[in-house]
């Protein structure tokens, strides 16, 4: 019930609301600081750069969040209905100017600081000696193609796509004769990989958490990205676009191996085709 003028309101309602606000802040802070649901460790410099930007953003927005919510709790309690008349005022230009400027400085500042990570991925040229691998998304699988000894991919066309030729390599193109198509993305550790993404049907999202790399594969486009992985191991490749009824099972493995193991792995994949 709203208190009428001259009547003291109940202190219980603002007290409960203020305590709830403080609890929400405390619980949120706990989960962020304890990293209960967090990314697995990054496996390259780019990933660590992204993490640093992530942390900077969280620290800054976290301070703003805590200050504003605790401020709100204080105001809820301090200005509860105490029988006085409510005052009306028309904003405060100084405060408006301060928080608008602060917001601009924070957002532009974060953008400027984070530009190196972004540029590394999108504007830094792909090294010429990078190993080229083609990734094809198709409801609901990922396929990876290696150009073979000639270093050239065979031509592809949709009409050649079938069970044994999942990415549609033209059987008459000699460049395609030694192409190796796999269901796992094997890469040598530390080597720069030039990934060419394509899709045979709808938009799929290529995402490896440990690389902090996410790039959509789009029908009708070749999308180029590059990465290297410094820690050997198996990592999940997940599709991050809701691409159809089997989207949840559209996953593959990124296998990072020492150079010699990689050569063996690739030769073995070739032998089974
Ligand atoms: Cu998909």
């Amino acid at each position: 019930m709203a208190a009428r003028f001259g009547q003291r309101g109940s202190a219980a309602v603002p007290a409960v609301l203020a305590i709830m606000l403080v609890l929400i802040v405390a619980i949120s802070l706990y989960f962020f600081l304890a990293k209960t649901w967090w990314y697995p460790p990054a496996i390259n410099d780019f990933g660590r750069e992204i993490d640093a930007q992530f942390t900077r953003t969280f620290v800054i927005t976290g301070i703003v969040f805590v200050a504003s919510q605790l401020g709100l709790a204080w105001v809820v309690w301090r200005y509860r209905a105490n029988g006085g008349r409510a005052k009306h005022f028309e904003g405060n230009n100084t405060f408006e100017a301060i928080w608008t400027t602060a917001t601009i400085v924070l957002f532009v500042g974060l953008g400027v600081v984070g530009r190196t990570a972004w540029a590394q991925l999108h504007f830094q040229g792909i090294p010429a000696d990078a190993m080229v691998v083609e990734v094809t998304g198709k409801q609901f699988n990922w396929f990876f193609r290696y150009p073979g000894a000639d270093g050239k991919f065979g031509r592809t066309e949709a009409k050649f796509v079938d069970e044994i030729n999942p990415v549609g390599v033209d059987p008459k193109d000699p460049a395609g004769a030694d192409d190796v198509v796999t269901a796992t993305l094997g890469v040598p550790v530390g080597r720069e990989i030039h990934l060419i993404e394509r899709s045979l049907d709808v938009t799929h999202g290529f995402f490896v958490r440990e690389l902090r790399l996410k790039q959509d594969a789009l029908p009708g486009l070749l999308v180029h990205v590059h990465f290297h992985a410094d820690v050997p191991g198996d990592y999940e490749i997940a599709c991050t676009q809701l691409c159809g009824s089997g989207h949840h099972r559209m996953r593959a493995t990124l296998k990072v191996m020492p150079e010699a193991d990689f050569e063996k792995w690739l030769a073995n994949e070739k032998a089974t085709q």
Side-chain angles (χ1 to χ4, degrees), residues 137-142 201-205 238-244 246-247 250:
K138 182 186 174 194
Q139 290 171 323
F140 298 99
N141 296 96
W142 291 108
D201 36 48
V202 298
T203 302
H204 298 283
C239 176
T240 51
Q241 291 291 354
L242 196 52
C243 56
H247 160 69
M250 184 163 171

Side-chain angles (χ1 to χ4, degrees), residues 54-255:
F54 204 60
T55 306
R56 279 192 287 267
T57 309
F58 263 136
V59 167
I60 292 171
T61 52
I63 290 170
V64 174
F65 169 75
V66 170
S68 57
Q69 295 307 302
L70 293 184
L72 180 60
W74 180 77
V75 166
V76 163
W77 174 249
R78 173 71 181 76
Y79 297 101
R80 65 190 184 278
N82 59 3
R85 184 183 284 276
K87 261 186 257 148
H88 174 78
F89 70 99
E90 296 272 329
N92 182 318
N93 286 340
T94 315
F95 279 145
E96 292 280 357
I98 291 173
W99 59 59
T100 306
T101 312
T103 310
I104 294 171
V105 170
L106 281 182
F107 275 87
V108 174
L110 278 173
V112 169
V113 176
R115 77 194 190 288
T116 40
W118 175 256
Q120 259 189 52
L121 183 65
H122 294 278
F123 297 122
Q124 206 178 64
I126 301 171
D129 62 344
M131 192 181 98
V132 187
V133 186
E134 183 197 74
V135 185
T136 304
K138 182 186 174 194
Q139 290 171 323
F140 298 99
N141 296 96
W142 291 108
F143 295 103
F144 307 95
R145 185 157 65 123
Y146 298 79
D150 62 355
K152 270 192 231 138
F153 287 115
R155 215 173 61 83
T156 55
E157 214 177 307
K159 68 177 181 191
F160 298 119
V161 174
D162 61 29
E163 285 291 297
I164 48 161
N165 187 1
V167 301
V169 183
D170 183 346
K172 290 207 192 77
D173 185 355
D178 63 349
D179 287 5
V180 185
V181 178
T182 65
T184 295
L185 174 57
V187 300
V189 66
R191 181 86 181 270
E192 198 66 25
I193 310 296
H194 172 181
L195 218 54
I196 305 174
E197 290 191 30
R198 56 196 282 264
S199 168
L200 289 185
D201 36 48
V202 298
T203 302
H204 298 283
F206 177 92
F207 180 47
V208 179
R209 295 174 304 167
E210 289 83 354
L211 294 174
R212 308 291 191 261
L213 175 68
K214 184 191 269 187
Q215 174 61 56
D216 283 356
L218 301 137
L221 268 187
L222 297 179
V223 184
H224 300 259
V225 283
H226 61 111
F227 71 89
H228 60 268
D230 295 336
V231 186
D234 288 0
Y235 308 98
E236 183 191 44
I237 298 168
C239 176
T240 51
Q241 291 291 354
L242 196 52
C243 56
S245 58
H247 160 69
H248 64 283
R249 61 183 151 84
M250 184 163 171
R251 46 160 71 134
T253 303
L254 165 69
K255 210 174 177 49

